[in-house]
């Protein structure tokens, strides 16, 4: 379990806070993964994903980039991703 997005040799520095997995309702994705309180049912007590190797595409940074942001430079994508991470942690979405 590597937990790293590597695009064009650049690595996304995820601090593994789990905020993206703790606010599924706000993100509006993966309603079937919500354990009833907005937290992903696969997020374990160590803030890790129990299905990491088989997680959905939307949970994969490389998939999201290639599917939705391919025209953007990778550094810009990572900056945007960090901004959204911060907003999720602060519950500003």
């Amino acid at each position: 379990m590597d937990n790293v997005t590597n695009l064009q040799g650049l690595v996304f520095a995820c601090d593994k806070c789990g905020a993206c997995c703790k606010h599924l309702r706000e993100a509006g994705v993966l309603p079937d993964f919500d354990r009833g309180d907005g937290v992903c049912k696969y997020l374990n007590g160590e803030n890790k994903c129990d299905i990491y190797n088989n997680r959905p595409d939307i949970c994969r940074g490389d998939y999201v980039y290639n599917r939705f942001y391919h025209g953007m430079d990778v550094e810009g994508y990572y900056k945007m991703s960090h901004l959204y991470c911060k907003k999720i942690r602060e519950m500003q979405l």
Side-chain angles (χ1 to χ4, degrees):
M1 199 179 314
D2 199 3
N3 291 26
V4 169
T5 297
N6 185 328
L7 293 166
Q8 301 173 6
L10 299 174
V11 175
F12 180 75
C14 175
D15 65 7
K16 301 172 187 80
C17 70
C20 54
C21 304
K22 293 174 183 171
H23 299 289
L24 294 181
R25 288 187 189 145
E26 288 80 8
V29 297
L30 304 173
D32 294 340
F33 283 50
D34 187 338
R35 67 179 188 195
D37 59 356
V39 176
C40 180
K41 63 186 175 183
Y42 297 108
L43 183 67
N44 66 32
E46 297 176 356
N47 240 21
K48 295 183 178 177
C49 178
D50 284 335
I51 61 166
Y52 185 80
N53 291 328
N54 297 307
R55 69 199 185 279
D57 287 339
I58 198 69
C59 299
R60 299 173 183 273
D62 55 342
Y63 169 83
V64 172
Y65 173 76
N66 288 319
R67 176 72 169 89
F68 302 105
Y69 298 99
H70 194 279
M72 180 184 280
D73 67 280
V74 173
E75 288 179 358
Y77 171 67
Y78 285 167
K79 282 182 182 180
M80 178 190 71
S81 296
H82 279 294
L83 175 65
Y84 280 112
C85 288
K86 181 181 181 210
K87 288 182 181 216
I88 290 169
R89 282 192 296 262
E90 295 170 355
M91 289 302 303
Q92 293 181 1
L93 282 180

